[in-house]
Amino acid sequence: MKLKVFIHEVEKCGFWAEVPAIPGCATQGDSFEELLANSYDAIEGCLSVDLSILEKPEKSRVMEIAI
């Protein structure tokens, strides 16, 4: 799977990134290398949400799909 990551450089503060395909998935780093490592961790964390703890309305279902 390939995802686009938008990287923003902040003067004197390092970098921050967001993943538009995964709402709410963002991270930061003091250096580009740290940002890159943190991006992998953030994406993995966002994609590994435990759906079993979420409440779902009646007549709803959860499906697992491969991309």
Side-chain angles (χ1 to χ4, degrees):
M1 175 189 313
K2 292 184 180 182
L3 296 169
K4 291 194 187 306
V5 177
F6 290 177
I7 299 170
H8 310 273
E9 186 170 359
V10 182
E11 253 183 71
K12 300 180 184 178
C13 295
F15 299 87
W16 72 277
E18 57 187 323
V19 183
I22 307 172
C25 188
T27 191
Q28 63 85 35
D30 293 331
S31 67
F32 182 80
E33 291 76 18
E34 182 181 16
L35 174 75
L36 186 59
N38 291 346
S39 296
Y40 284 104
D41 290 341
I43 291 167
E44 182 179 350
C46 289
L47 293 177
S48 65
V49 172
D50 184 2
L51 295 178
S52 66
I53 63 172
L54 299 177
E55 291 184 31
K56 62 179 179 171
E58 275 187 48
K59 298 184 181 181
S60 295
R61 61 179 104 171
V62 176
M63 294 179 58
E64 188 172 310
I65 61 171
I67 302 175

